[in-house]
Amino acid sequence: MNGEATDDVRDRARAAIHRSGISQREFADRLGIDPTKLSKSLTGRRRFTPEELAAIALEAGVTVNWLLNGDDDAVTVAAAPRDTAVAAPPAGPADRPLAVKEHNRRLQIIEAAWTLIAERGFHSVRVAQVARACGTSSATVHYHFPTLNHLLEEALRHSVKQAFDRQVAGLHEIEDAHERLLSLIELQLPASERLQLEWSIWMQVWTSAALDPEMREIHAHSYRRWHETIARTLTEGIDTGVFADHGAEEMTKRLTALIDGMGIQVMTGMPGRSVGHMRRTLHELIERDFLKRD
């Protein structure tokens, strides 16, 4: 990232924080970093880490792609979500305080619903529980999301956005396709509590998609982004001679099937399956079958 780009990122991060209507100190607390670190990043004395960029995007309701490139749909290392965009915050709290309040409340409800659904299961969550987690009323939740199905759909969109933000933040400076693919896998392993919650959402959506044609369509749109992100990296690796050309589409289907299957085994506690085992197996597949041999 060159100096000019860093200046642009800093300006957009500052604008996102301003539009959120949250003080810089409180925003730093929400990011889990010292306010002086945030201040140094916003004034150019330190660079944002990938984790901080993803956290800023989550808290402000913007995308990392916008923070880095000024456009949600800019072509980058990861495929942009389709029909899953989170509305950008309004122009500024001084100009539209009610709109900012509504925007922040919606983000709060989405995050609370996402967490509850991931932890307890979709069918165990009630609107009253979401409202209680947000410190608001059930009527307010219903105002933004008429039914629990709407909340599940939004939880999926929330997971897609988080994955997109995480991937763009972590991969945008990695030029080697092999290294990027390994990093992409690392970013999806259910190794942290947050990633385990994300996997829980996906597993519930898979179950719903098997029974509900409408959810099936929503899932297909969301999953296509993940498929395209891997295919993009494999295609680049084939074009640059890093990967053998076994057909990027078929290679992507094989890799995603293994990631999904092993992720489910890890999440369900199958004996002998762990995040470390999942990582080793995926690395071995890439080393054995994907890398181009001289």
Side-chain angles (χ1 to χ4, degrees):
M1 187 186 299
N2 58 37
E4 182 180 356
T6 302
D7 290 342
D8 290 340
V9 172
R10 184 172 67 246
D11 291 343
R12 285 190 284 268
R14 188 183 297 109
I17 294 170
H18 176 69
R19 293 175 191 173
S20 73
I22 303 169
S23 72
Q24 189 170 307
R25 176 171 290 276
E26 183 181 351
F27 203 93
D29 289 341
R30 293 191 181 191
L31 298 184
I33 64 174
D34 189 277
T36 58
K37 280 190 174 182
L38 179 58
S39 178
K40 287 179 179 179
S41 295
L42 292 173
T43 55
R45 288 176 287 167
R46 72 181 286 269
R47 294 178 63 177
F48 290 112
T49 67
E51 293 76 17
E52 288 167 357
L53 286 172
I56 290 170
L58 177 65
E59 291 294 338
V62 297
T63 66
V64 170
N65 207 15
W66 178 80
L67 288 171
L68 291 175
N69 302 305
D71 186 349
D72 290 335
D73 299 319
V75 176
T76 182
V77 292
R82 299 180 181 181
D83 303 324
T84 56
V86 175
D95 301 325
R96 303 179 61 193
L98 291 179
V100 169
K101 183 178 180 180
E102 286 291 298
H103 176 79
N104 290 345
R105 176 63 77 189
R106 180 180 171 84
L107 291 178
Q108 184 185 29
I109 292 170
I110 292 170
E111 173 68 14
W114 182 86
T115 303
L116 286 169
I117 290 171
E119 290 179 341
R120 304 182 185 183
F122 169 61
H123 294 292
S124 298
V125 174
R126 300 292 178 264
V127 169
Q129 295 171 322
V130 177
R132 188 160 50 249
C134 295
T136 189
S137 66
S138 294
T140 299
V141 176
H142 280 301
Y143 170 77
H144 290 282
F145 306 101
T147 68
L148 271 173
N149 271 334
H150 285 93
L151 279 173
L152 179 59
E153 292 172 15
E154 200 59 49
L156 172 59
R157 292 186 175 93
H158 194 49
S159 285
V160 171
K161 179 188 179 297
Q162 289 180 80
F164 177 59
D165 286 337
R166 187 170 62 248
Q167 290 158 11
V168 175
L171 304 177
H172 74 281
E173 292 186 319
I174 301 177
E175 295 184 0
D176 179 75
H178 180 209
E179 181 184 352
R180 191 189 306 151
L181 184 61
L182 295 180
S183 296
L184 180 58
I185 288 171
E186 193 67 30
L187 291 171
Q188 293 305 114
L189 294 174
S192 68
E193 181 179 356
R194 188 80 184 180
L195 265 293
Q196 289 167 8
L197 294 178
E198 193 172 299
W199 270 90
S200 174
I201 292 290
W202 274 108
M203 290 169 68
Q204 294 179 66
V205 169
W206 285 331
T207 300
S208 296
L211 304 173
D212 183 349
E214 184 176 347
M215 182 57 71
R216 195 173 304 152
E217 183 176 353
I218 294 170
H219 166 265
H221 279 293
S222 302
Y223 194 85
R224 191 174 296 121
R225 190 209 70 82
W226 168 236
H227 180 99
E228 289 177 356
T229 295
I230 292 182
R232 185 174 296 180
T233 299
L234 288 172
T235 298
E236 182 177 329
I238 292 169
D239 291 343
T240 56
V242 174
F243 298 131
D245 189 357
H246 300 305
E249 184 69 13
E250 289 304 313
M251 293 165 72
T252 300
K253 290 177 182 177
R254 183 179 179 189
L255 183 56
T256 54
L258 187 58
I259 292 171
D260 294 344
M262 295 201 72
I264 291 171
Q265 291 177 358
V266 171
M267 288 291 295
T268 54
M270 184 172 289
R273 309 301 196 272
S274 65
V275 169
H277 175 259
M278 181 177 176
R279 179 188 293 111
R280 289 193 301 273
T281 302
L282 292 167
H283 284 207
E284 287 169 3
L285 170 71
I286 293 168
E287 174 73 24
R288 183 184 66 244
D289 296 346
F290 285 15
L291 287 181
K292 189 173 183 179
R293 303 299 178 187
D294 295 330

